[in-house]
Amino acid sequence: MDTIERIEFVITYACTGRCRHCSQGEHSNRGKVIDADAAAETVRNVTGKHKIRSLMTFGGEALLYPEAVYRIHSVARKLRIGKRQLITNGFFSRDKGYIKQVAYRLFECGINDLLLSVDAFHDECIPLEYVRLFADECLKNSIPIRLNPAWLGSYDNHNSYNTRTRQIIAEFKEMGIAEGGGNIVFPKGNALKYFPEYFDGKSYDPYEDNRTVCFDPDSDLKGVFYQ
Ligand code: SF4
């Protein structure tokens, strides 16, 4: 049986952020959500033919549609996919009770690696107090969290964004959350538009080559792996 390193699902391209480094640009493709039942069925089918090491969900902001996230991860846990990851900016509601409930459901559906995208870019458009609240609820539910910041230029580059990101990282580390390393902003979408001085003008996505299997709200899930 072949091994697939990772299967990925873009839950939606809708987002609560409007980050200046976002590779998805201005989020013109909003409001669509992945078909969770078809996605769950796809996970079952792929698992029947391949060994899958990890499953990842992200967006946009995936937690705008948490039911789809719960559904896909519940199946992944049932099928014993070892690593079950969610990338989120942590801001999907201002309702404390709802935030608490979502954190519990994420624990319940078996997410075991939550990557929290916090940095200076997100700080410009997302209220961090709600992200802290969400992170705190996840910690209370013993969900493993890692910080997932984006760095401009390089990790060591001296610029105002990286300086602010280090401050934010320090604040979250005080809560007991580990730094996951994050990623370097790459020349695609908004990043190319707002930070051209860091790139040579060509669009490039380093993750495209690495993706083994990736589905998004536009994928024909019913036509994949069903033969
Ligand atoms: S970087 Fe993430 S949080 Fe920011 S706009 Fe893009 S998808 Fe949304």
Side-chain angles (χ1 to χ4, degrees), residues 15-19 21-24 27 59-61 89 122 125-126:
C15 195
T16 50
R18 293 289 177 271
C19 303
H21 73 309
C22 185
S23 63
Q24 293 171 4
H27 289 273
E61 176 41 55
N89 67 32
H122 292 81
C125 50
I126 283 171

Side-chain angles (χ1 to χ4, degrees), residues 9 28 44 57 66 80 102 118 124 130 149 165 173 189 194 214:
F9 293 93
S28 49
R44 273 193 209 97
T57 50
R80 301 209 168 98
V102 170
V118 285
E124 287 183 327
Y130 293 100
T165 294
K173 275 181 160 176
Y194 292 112
C214 181

Side-chain angles (χ1 to χ4, degrees), residues 17 21 26 32 53 57 86 104 106 143 154 156 183 221:
H21 73 309
E26 304 296 343
K32 256 185 164 178
R53 289 197 202 282
T57 50
L86 166 68
Y104 176 71
L106 292 177
I143 299 173
S154 69
D156 298 322
N183 53 76
L221 284 163

